[in-house]
Amino acid sequence: MDGLGRRVLVAAFDGWNDAGEAASSAIAQLKTSGSYEPVYSVDPELYFDYQYTRPHIEIDGEGRRRLKWPEATIHRPVHATRGTQLWLLTGVEPARAWQAFAGELIDVALREDVTGFVSLGSMMSDVPHTRPISVFAGSDSEKLRQSLGLERSTYEGPVGILSVLSHAADAAGIPSASLWASVPHYVAGHTPSPKATLALLDRLEDLTGAPVDRGTLATEAAAWEASIDAAAADDEEMTEYIRQLERTRDTWDSPEASGDAIAQEFERYLRRRGDGPAKPGRDDPPRR
């Protein structure tokens, strides 16, 4: 796709932006299905609060214990391809110095001739698990919106690191877009959410033109949906609630529905949750 160019940096972070682990799982699938090598990692001492995001002890292949620190790392494909290359930015949302964090990573993207930036996020929302997962695809760039058929959000409110990075990319001349999967809020106990991960990867392939290996996600998504069906079967109140969500979703998907229905649903959720405490997955998809 010409809009984002042939070297696209795809970003996802643990934390606010990652309901049901859908976005981080999408990046993990991309990484495991290809050959990648690290290009650059930030200094964790500068950006992370270890009381909030603690280092982990791991045992390596030789049986030695080692510390694994929080990170944010850019990875590039090992092998060059003739089509679009997907570079990866993954890690933990930083605790401080967000402007410096974003500036540092976007400087690396410029140095590496990255031509486009796509952020992946997911959030809890009032949607049924039995229907296709909604993915909000947006951009602040009018050129990208026209060329790729993206939305523009009118959301105003708290944001996460993905919006800060997108702003920095746009300011540096790297066109940015964002994809946000809507995860049913009543399935919090059924994490991860492979159906949402699959929806993000499907839309990413559409957006960038780069082939994406889904691995076993289709099978995992079917099993995830079946497990929720089984849980709902023994709960009449939950069953009725899901039916209400299905009726609402089917109305949105009808030919008479407004093309802005999904975007409005995202914004309604953010307005309802805007004064509450930060929770995983509660970020700012409508901004992009």
Side-chain angles (χ1 to χ4, degrees):
M1 295 287 182
D2 292 335
L4 291 167
R6 299 303 180 192
R7 187 172 290 189
V8 180
L9 181 60
V10 183
F13 285 80
D14 296 342
W16 243 32
N17 320 275
D18 194 28
E21 301 175 12
S24 58
S25 295
I27 285 282
Q29 173 62 28
L30 291 170
K31 189 177 179 182
T32 57
S33 64
S35 297
Y36 284 89
E37 61 185 4
V39 174
Y40 185 84
S41 293
V42 300
D43 181 351
E45 295 290 317
L46 301 177
Y47 302 114
F48 299 107
D49 180 343
Y50 299 141
Q51 293 189 69
Y52 177 73
T53 307
R54 294 181 179 271
H56 288 200
I57 282 284
E58 297 183 343
I59 299 178
D60 64 20
E62 299 179 359
R64 294 174 300 191
R65 288 160 60 84
R66 67 183 184 91
L67 278 172
K68 180 176 175 61
W69 297 90
E71 65 173 4
T73 302
I74 295 177
H75 300 265
R76 67 184 168 203
V78 172
H79 306 295
T81 59
R82 297 186 63 181
T84 300
Q85 289 186 334
L86 297 182
W87 291 43
L88 309 178
L89 168 56
T90 185
V92 180
E93 186 172 68
R96 53 181 172 263
W98 282 21
Q99 294 181 71
F101 178 87
E104 184 175 331
L105 290 171
I106 295 303
D107 282 347
V108 175
L110 289 170
R111 184 187 73 199
E112 297 292 337
D113 296 323
V114 166
T115 59
F117 179 85
V118 177
S119 60
L120 303 182
S122 52
M123 64 185 300
M124 295 294 181
S125 196
D126 298 329
V127 293
H129 72 284
T130 54
R131 299 294 186 264
I133 295 292
S134 301
V135 176
F136 178 90
S139 176
D140 280 347
S141 166
E142 183 178 356
K143 183 177 180 181
L144 278 189
R145 292 198 303 272
Q146 291 180 351
S147 63
L148 299 178
L150 305 178
E151 300 282 347
R152 182 177 187 180
S153 173
T154 59
Y155 169 72
E156 296 178 291
V159 300
I161 193 60
L162 291 179
S163 285
V164 176
L165 284 164
S166 294
H167 263 296
D170 286 329
I174 301 175
S176 72
S178 64
L179 300 176
W180 286 86
S182 187
V183 180
H185 70 86
Y186 57 87
V187 300
H190 297 261
T191 296
S193 301
K195 189 173 181 179
T197 297
L198 186 61
L200 281 172
L201 291 176
D202 287 345
R203 195 66 181 90
L204 179 66
E205 184 174 88
D206 291 341
L207 192 65
T208 64
V212 172
D213 185 349
R214 277 77 161 178
T216 60
L217 279 171
T219 300
E220 294 171 21
W224 175 83
E225 186 169 336
S227 70
I228 301 168
D229 288 342
D234 296 326
D235 188 331
E236 291 184 8
E237 184 176 347
M238 183 177 179
T239 297
E240 179 55 32
Y241 178 64
I242 292 171
R243 287 172 180 164
Q244 292 176 10
L245 294 178
E246 289 172 338
R247 289 192 290 269
T248 301
R249 176 61 186 272
D250 292 344
T251 298
W252 288 343
D253 289 343
S254 69
E256 297 80 12
S258 166
D260 294 330
I262 293 176
Q264 291 172 357
E265 183 271 328
F266 272 115
E267 301 211 10
R268 179 171 58 85
Y269 176 83
L270 264 292
R271 286 195 297 269
R272 189 175 70 246
R273 299 290 296 267
D275 294 333
K279 295 184 179 180
R282 200 207 89 188
D283 202 303
D284 52 301
R287 193 205 71 76
R288 302 307 311 157

